[in-house]
């Protein structure tokens, strides 16, 4: 019964999380294609497909269901929107990104650490989008810094969702992957291999130099968020006794069975056993 609502929700989540921002921004030249056919939109195919796949994987929670579903939905949307299957490079890019996102999204329902790593790239992509429409260095620094901090706080919070503070050991690695995700986003948006490589390596220095106060604020915010979440959880149940449904015979060995036997009643003075009349008659009395 769960998949009656999970499958439609996964289809909607794939489209909304990955490609709804394109519709909200307005398609160029009154186009009806959900992704304009052109090499300049490879970034939307990669990042949108991965983000939508992560959302679909979270909703379904099973790799064997999530990956085939997003492949069918991506191919069907590609065909229904007016694209031809002759553009195999773009279609394969969309299918691979969607399947990879669905894989990590489904694994994230079992491990909160994997979920945090899967969310890092979509959150970095979302955080970098509004900055292109803001004028002014001051507002750009505040908006970008706020979005970077919110994304990092969410990622660190999700990391400790299931195992608590034991997963905090992954925070340094997760923060590093979050920074790498910004570099991946900028590299995917760049045209050409040389430009993508240069954009990838040039992202770390300005991001760390300009927004390190916001990242420190995000870590300080993630600590009380995780602490409050763990305090709100009920105490863990006591461990089950593996021998609760068994008797002592199942635990003790055979040479200790006398413990379960009823101890005979003991008397201070031994009782005189009188002989029966038959026994007395059979006994010959000596003169």
């Amino acid at each position: 019964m769960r998949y009656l609502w999970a499958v439609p929700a996964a289809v909607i989540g794939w489209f909304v999380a990955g490609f709804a921002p394109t519709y909200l921004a307005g398609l160029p030249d009154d186009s009806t294609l959900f992704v304009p056919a052109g090499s300049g939109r490879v970034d939307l195919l990669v990042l949108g497909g991965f983000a939508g796949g992560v959302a679909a994987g979270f909703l379904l929670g099973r790799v064997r269901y999530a990956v085939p579903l997003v492949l069918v939905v991506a191919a069907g949307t590609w065909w229904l929107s007016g694209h031809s299957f002759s553009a195999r490079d773009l279609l394969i890019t969309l299918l691979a990104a969607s399947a990879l996102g669905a894989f990590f999204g489904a694994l994230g329902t079992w491990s909160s650490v994997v979920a945090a790593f899967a969310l890092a790239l979509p959150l970095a992509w979302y955080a970098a989008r509004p900055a292109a429409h803001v004028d002014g260095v001051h507002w750009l620094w505040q908006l970008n810094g706020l979005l970077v901090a919110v994304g990092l706080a969410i990622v660190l919070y999700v990391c400790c969702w299931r195992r608590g503070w034991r997963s905090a050991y992954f925070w340094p690695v997760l923060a590093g992957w979050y920074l790498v995700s910004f570099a991946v986003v900028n590299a995917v948006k760049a045209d050409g291999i040389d430009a993508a490589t240069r954009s990838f390596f040039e992202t770390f220095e300005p991001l760390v130099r300009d927004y390190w106060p916001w990242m420190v604020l995000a870590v300080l915010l993630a600590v009380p968020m995780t602490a409050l979440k763990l305090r709100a959880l009920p105490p863990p149940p006591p461990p089950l006794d593996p021998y609760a449904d068994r008797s002592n015979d199942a635990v003790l060995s055979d040479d200790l069975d006398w413990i379960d036997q009823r101890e005979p009643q003991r008397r201070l003075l031994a009782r005189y056993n009188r002989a029966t009349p038959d026994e007395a008659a059979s006994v010959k009395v000596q003169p």
Side-chain angles (χ1 to χ4, degrees), residues 145 148-149 152 175 178-179 207-208 211-220:
V148 169
L152 181 58
Y178 184 67
L179 295 177
L207 188 65
V208 177
Y211 303 120
W212 69 266
W214 292 98
M215 300 184 67
V216 173
L217 179 63
V219 176
L220 297 178

Side-chain angles (χ1 to χ4, degrees), residues 87-100:
R88 290 182 296 178
D89 296 340
L90 297 177
L91 177 59
I92 292 175
T93 301
L94 175 62
L95 296 179
S98 300
L100 186 63

Side-chain angles (χ1 to χ4, degrees), residues 106-133:
L107 291 182
T109 59
W110 298 96
S111 174
S112 58
V113 177
V114 178
F117 277 92
L119 287 174
L121 184 61
L123 289 177
W125 181 44
Y126 298 149
R129 290 180 65 89
H133 305 283

